[in-house]
Amino acid sequence: MAMQFYASPEQVQRDRSEYARKGIARGRSAVVLSYEGGILLVAENITTLRKISEIYDRIAFAAVGRYNEFENLRRAGVRMADMVGLTYDRRDVTGRALANAYTQTLGAIFSETQKPYEVEICIAQVGASPEQDELYRIMYDGSALDEPGFMAMGGQAEAISNVLRERHDVNADLPSALALAAEALGSVGGENGQPRTLEAKQLEVAVLDRRRAGRTFRRIADAALTSLLGHQSVPDADLGETDAAPPAHGDSKPTESAASENTESAAPEKSAESE
Amino acid sequence: MATGFDPSGRLPDIFLNTGTSSFTQFLSAAAPELLPGRRPLPPGLSAGDVAPHGTTIVAIATAEGVVMAGDRRATMGNLIASRDIKKVHPADAYSLIGIAGTAGIGIELIRLFQVELEHYEKTEGAMLSLDGKANRLAAMVRGNLGAAMQGLAVVPLFAGFDLAPADPARAGRIFSFDVAGGLYEETGYEAIGSGSLFAKAALKKRYREGVGTEDAIRLAVEALYDAADDDTATGGPDLTRKIYPVVMTATANGTNRLSDAEVTAVAEQVVSGRMENPGG
């Protein structure tokens, strides 16, 4: 029988932390920041496997690290949000409750299992104004931070954060916020420390649009993303729809729940078909 | 605290299992008591008389998509339980659902179906096909069969804009169901509920394939008027209280509920037309 060697708890924790940090540092980074119109989520991602997604009406999820692990956490979050929303009301689903569930889950995985999750996740909840936005950073070991305004995740988060810290402005418009995010992500990883210019196809971009009622998550891709990166603003209607649905031309209405009538009154414009 | 949550605050294993993208299937494992149809009912009783019932819903396929409209009355025996109940709702961005039968079960079914569709969309990053949505709804109706046998029956009408239709000219599609969860695709138009015979008779005479949305809205309100004319459980346009049918459309632009002003205008035209010619 193999001999069990003694390792102190401190040593075990240190080893696990180091292992998780190394795993996270191998991947590309992501940034989340508040801007005047909502919360912008940008990840450097050349694949179609998503790092950013919708959890609920006003809550989004962004992650870096090992895909299978954060995908698992994302699904669990969607399940939790949908279950709470069905049991109580859509308004009772909060980013903080989700962040708490994630910290408990990641904390337990970190201390109880051989291999910690190599992930770092962000739960973003958009408010009525940038001051009311909530950004939670949850680390591989279950530690959680409430980061007002902006945050960067991934291997070189510190360097990226420095760029954001200097220039971040909650009253910036979407093109400026995106330009800053792209520049921050491009500030690391270049040859000989040179900054890189990231193009539309290297970025995965989404927003939580604070002006919308109901589901506020919108992906920005293709033509809309290219023109935004070129500092041109894009009409709201040309921003992508929530996941899966093709871009709508009229004002997209929130899905009204049979039990939450209040979301309906917030759908102002007439759609084309009733003209 | 929601049922099924671990007291330690961490997400229970069932949340972290890869599992399925169906929310109802997840609930059936994590919190089966939240599903309609899983509740034990007292044997032998008919609960049909104690719960409000909703009645007539009509759906019409148009050149641009579909129109669905429902009257506002809920009845309990010979009493009017509600004058302004809403029986037509958006199921998701491109589809509509209307319910007839036991109102409480119907509204619960709609809420669960809305979450089911949104949940799939969020977990998979892709929307279900229109047929996929209809099949999921059929399975949910099937799950209610036990309650239906005891008088708590609900039958939905489902219609939507098909984003990838086999025939581009027929992107607006309508599906009806029976209490056993049978799923039937309808061509042109369909009505459900106690006033449906009269509504369908009206539509049979007036419906033309490829009708425009504007005309279809008028047709739907006329059909509801005819249903209310002959069925006591269906409410007509309530001029005194200004309560008019709920009319929704689903087209390439998504779902849209007609504003009060728009429905009022159509309903008033229909009523004034009937003043001159009661037969329509």
Side-chain angles (χ1 to χ4, degrees):
Chain A
M1 232 170 111
M3 182 79 172
Q4 282 284 318
F5 289 102
Y6 174 77
S8 72
E10 290 91 340
Q11 187 59 46
V12 172
Q13 304 289 58
R14 261 199 305 276
D15 288 352
R16 285 181 183 163
S17 287
E18 196 186 334
Y19 175 81
R21 265 201 296 267
K22 272 188 186 160
I24 294 165
R26 270 196 294 272
R28 297 186 173 85
S29 304
V31 302
V32 181
L33 53 93
S34 285
Y35 70 100
E36 153 270 327
I39 294 178
L40 173 68
L41 304 103
V42 184
E44 196 180 342
N45 186 3
I46 50 170
T47 71
T48 55
L49 298 170
R50 285 161 176 170
K51 292 183 174 180
I52 297 170
S53 41
E54 174 186 17
I55 296 269
Y56 212 65
D57 289 356
R58 306 185 77 75
I59 303 170
F61 173 100
V64 293
R66 221 177 148 92
Y67 179 77
N68 67 327
E69 292 173 348
F70 69 67
E71 171 66 8
N72 206 6
L73 292 169
R74 179 186 75 86
R75 279 172 170 260
V78 173
R79 285 172 176 165
M80 177 182 163
D82 279 344
M83 191 154 137
V84 172
L86 181 76
T87 315
Y88 305 112
D89 186 77
R90 295 193 82 91
R91 281 168 295 181
D92 298 314
V93 178
T94 63
R96 191 168 48 198
L98 270 165
N100 281 334
Y102 280 133
T103 62
Q104 296 299 335
T105 307
L106 279 170
I109 289 168
F110 182 77
S111 53
E112 288 166 17
T113 59
Q114 272 290 313
K115 185 195 118 28
Y117 272 17
E118 299 153 66
V119 297
E120 196 173 335
I121 60 182
C122 168
I123 293 293
Q125 176 176 302
V126 72
S129 67
E131 293 72 41
Q132 289 166 296
D133 288 349
E134 293 172 21
L135 300 184
Y136 299 99
R137 176 209 295 268
I138 300 139
M139 311 286 284
Y140 54 86
D141 61 354
S143 57
L145 291 163
D146 170 8
E147 307 224 358
F150 66 88
M151 61 173 281
M153 302 183 290
Q156 287 156 302
E158 201 45 50
I160 296 172
S161 287
N162 288 338
V163 178
L164 293 175
R165 193 170 297 119
E166 274 170 32
R167 310 235 314 270
H168 178 246
D169 173 12
V170 291
N171 297 314
D173 61 4
L174 183 54
S176 338
L178 180 60
L180 173 60
E183 192 189 319
L185 285 172
S187 69
V188 296
E191 278 183 39
N192 306 322
Q194 292 292 309
R196 300 171 297 152
T197 307
L198 297 173
E199 290 165 31
K201 62 176 189 295
Q202 293 168 277
L203 294 173
E204 182 186 354
V205 180
V207 294
L208 289 169
D209 186 340
R210 72 174 90 254
R211 285 162 302 201
R212 283 186 196 250
R215 292 168 76 182
T216 61
F217 184 87
R218 292 291 178 276
R219 271 184 204 287
I220 306 176
D222 306 331
L225 180 55
T226 309
S227 45
L228 272 178
L229 279 170
H231 293 272
Q232 290 161 328
S233 54
V234 166
D236 276 358
D238 287 352
L239 295 184
E241 263 298 321
T242 44
D243 259 349
H249 301 294
D251 181 70
S252 64
K253 292 216 166 189
T255 303
E256 166 210 354
S257 148
S260 341
E261 307 281 316
N262 60 320
T263 55
E264 188 192 323
S265 54
E269 288 166 51
K270 262 174 67 171
S271 299
E273 77 266 32
S274 53
E275 282 163 13
Chain B
M1 190 152 176
T3 35
F5 281 83
D6 194 303
S8 72
R10 64 184 278 197
L11 290 159
D13 284 345
I14 190 146
F15 281 69
L16 292 160
N17 290 343
T18 314
T20 163
S21 295
S22 162
F23 185 66
T24 46
Q25 275 175 30
F26 164 69
L27 271 191
S28 69
E33 70 281 6
L34 291 179
L35 286 175
R38 290 296 186 97
R39 282 178 293 259
L41 289 163
L45 282 174
S46 174
D49 297 337
V50 298
H53 273 61
T55 42
T56 311
I57 310 290
V58 299
I60 300 172
T62 68
E64 294 90 33
V66 286
V67 169
M68 191 184 280
D71 76 307
R72 308 295 294 272
R73 181 173 288 180
T75 55
M76 216 157 77
N78 63 339
L79 295 177
I80 294 174
S82 171
R83 296 178 201 284
D84 61 353
I85 187 178
K86 283 164 56 189
K87 297 179 257 179
V88 176
H89 294 268
D92 67 0
Y94 291 93
S95 62
L96 306 169
I97 178 172
I99 44 127
T102 312
I105 307 273
I107 286 172
E108 187 181 18
L109 186 81
I110 291 176
R111 283 192 74 194
L112 192 57
F113 185 56
Q114 287 172 329
V115 178
E116 172 82 12
L117 298 185
E118 188 187 317
H119 186 82
Y120 183 93
E121 213 179 288
K122 288 189 291 196
T123 46
E124 290 297 314
M127 201 181 251
L128 275 170
S129 65
L130 195 66
D131 299 272
K133 295 173 196 173
N135 278 322
R136 278 312 301 162
L137 185 55
M140 290 166 71
V141 175
R142 205 171 294 136
N144 191 52
L145 182 60
M149 299 297 281
Q150 290 188 281
L152 296 174
V154 63
V155 180
L157 185 60
F158 179 67
F161 181 81
D162 195 342
L163 292 160
D167 175 4
R170 291 175 197 265
R173 298 170 67 195
I174 301 170
F175 300 87
S176 70
F177 303 82
D178 62 32
V179 283
L183 169 64
Y184 313 96
E185 181 162 3
E186 307 290 341
T187 40
Y189 59 88
E190 175 63 1
I192 56 165
S194 59
S196 62
L197 283 132
F198 311 109
K200 268 200 271 197
L203 288 171
K204 189 178 190 173
K205 293 292 173 202
R206 317 262 309 258
Y207 175 78
R208 296 288 173 271
E209 202 175 308
V211 62
T213 299
E214 286 295 296
D215 294 337
I217 290 166
R218 171 80 188 242
L219 271 184
V221 176
E222 296 258 11
L224 287 177
Y225 188 101
D226 287 324
D229 212 16
D230 286 310
D231 172 36
T232 53
T234 303
D238 190 338
L239 301 172
T240 326
R241 298 182 184 81
K242 310 245 180 299
I243 301 169
Y244 298 109
V246 172
V247 183
M248 295 199 67
T249 60
T251 63
N253 293 322
T255 62
N256 178 45
R257 182 179 169 193
L258 264 65
S259 69
D260 287 347
E262 289 167 310
V263 184
T264 303
V266 178
E268 280 173 354
Q269 278 171 22
V270 170
V271 173
S272 63
R274 297 299 175 109
M275 297 272 192
E276 290 159 23
N277 178 10

